[in-house]
Amino acid sequence: MHFTVKKMLVVSAMFMLALQVWATDSAGQGSLLELQGELVQGGMVIGRAPQGSQVWLNDEVVKVTPDGRFVFGFGRDSENTHQLKIKYPNGTEALRELEVKPRDYDIQYIEGISKKIMSPNEEDLKRIRRENSMVAKARAGASVREDFLETFIWPAKGPITGVYGSQRFYNGEPRRPHFGLDIAAPRGAEVIAPASGKVVLAHNNMFFSGGTLIMDHGYGITSTFIHLDAILVEEGQEVKQGDAIARVGATGRATGPHLDWRINWFNTRLDPQLLMSEPQP
Ligand SMILES: [Zn+2]
């Protein structure tokens, strides 16, 4: 088993710059629109507008909470320019150009993956498709929970061994980029909920991801935890931030025990590390 992190990302440096920036609207609406978060690939942005405002990102409706909050995010390979449109309750509209910073991604080489996992047979492929659609369905629900407004906390303790966005080579073959934040921890170590939410998927044995748990934090934001040894909660269960939800494992396509934590805004994969304002405990 050979596990190399070629170069850790500049994410730690980005922490320093991640001070939450509140920006105002250039259309003279001043403090009517506030955005908090990083305008960077993989970043999540929380907005606030007057109650009753409507919001569109690139002409797609962004759902707004009853008190005017909303959330959106940018994918790994997001375009640089996005348009945010706000229609205020008084009928006036404001257009805001968002400039999203590109990032450089890591390259990671992982050896020792079994042949079965590297070359799934016909039956495995059917199973993979079925599992992919379960995951997609779990992430597609747009509940009106407002847990995403909480300040996220670290779900596990341990060294970071894999970062968001890295291009991965398994046994020398290029594969899809990695979208999780990997935290190495012993098998059986506790995983806690980084924010409150509702369990929308609890599956003990998926082909690639092994023990897989998805939590809904509302308005399209979900957390996914994979390679789990055990899941301590059930589908439909409400979980509070800090509650024990699972145990770290090495199930599925994993070379050693670690927690792989992912954040999505619907289908868009975000970087969990950008949500963390505190350094790791
Ligand atoms: Zn991972």
Side-chain angles (χ1 to χ4, degrees), residues 6-33:
K6 242 221 159 167
K7 88 186 142 79
M8 289 301 283
L9 251 190
V10 286
V11 167
S12 46
M14 290 166 64
F15 271 136
M16 306 300 175
L17 305 170
L19 302 174
Q20 301 186 323
V21 178
W22 291 92
T24 53
D25 186 328
S26 57
Q29 295 290 339
S31 60
L32 287 183
L33 171 65

Side-chain angles (χ1 to χ4, degrees), residues 168 178 182 258 260 262:
R168 279 195 160 177
H178 181 251
D182 287 342
H258 69 284
D260 181 321
R262 293 155 186 232

Side-chain angles (χ1 to χ4, degrees), residues 235-268:
E235 279 178 21
Q237 193 174 330
E238 306 266 339
V239 174
K240 286 264 163 273
Q241 184 177 57
D243 285 355
I245 52 174
R247 299 206 175 277
V248 170
T251 54
R253 187 172 65 187
T255 53
H258 69 284
L259 176 66
D260 181 321
W261 174 35
R262 293 155 186 232
I263 291 274
N264 272 60
W265 175 57
F266 299 104
N267 291 326
T268 303

Side-chain angles (χ1 to χ4, degrees), residues 181-195:
L181 178 65
D182 287 342
I183 303 170
R187 182 172 167 234
E190 202 166 73
V191 179
I192 61 170

Side-chain angles (χ1 to χ4, degrees), residues 3-15 41-42 76 103-110 154 158-170 175-184 226-227 258-263 269-274 276 280:
F3 195 79
T4 318
V5 177
K6 242 221 159 167
K7 88 186 142 79
M8 289 301 283
L9 251 190
V10 286
V11 167
S12 46
M14 290 166 64
F15 271 136
Q41 289 177 337
R76 177 187 188 268
R103 283 166 69 175
D104 284 327
Y105 297 105
D106 214 12
I107 294 179
Q108 194 172 31
Y109 298 93
I110 295 169
W154 289 90
I160 290 169
T161 51
V163 294
Y164 172 90
S166 49
Q167 179 60 55
R168 279 195 160 177
F169 290 77
Y170 288 94
R175 291 294 164 100
R176 268 151 53 88
H178 181 251
F179 291 101
L181 178 65
D182 287 342
I183 303 170
I226 68 176
H227 308 312
H258 69 284
L259 176 66
D260 181 321
W261 174 35
R262 293 155 186 232
I263 291 274
R269 297 162 178 284
L270 311 181
D271 183 353
Q273 208 163 354
L274 295 177
M276 310 309 299
Q280 221 189 348

Side-chain angles (χ1 to χ4, degrees), residues 128-143 198-203 206 212-217 220-224 235 264-269:
I128 291 164
R129 278 194 292 270
R130 205 165 51 235
E131 292 171 356
N132 286 347
S133 72
M134 290 169 74
V135 167
K137 194 173 156 227
R139 287 174 175 157
S143 80
K198 184 175 177 178
V199 178
V200 287
L201 185 140
H203 193 296
M206 286 191 164
T212 303
L213 172 62
I214 303 182
M215 281 182 68
D216 171 18
H217 304 299
I221 300 294
T222 55
S223 276
T224 304
E235 279 178 21
N264 272 60
W265 175 57
F266 299 104
N267 291 326
T268 303
R269 297 162 178 284

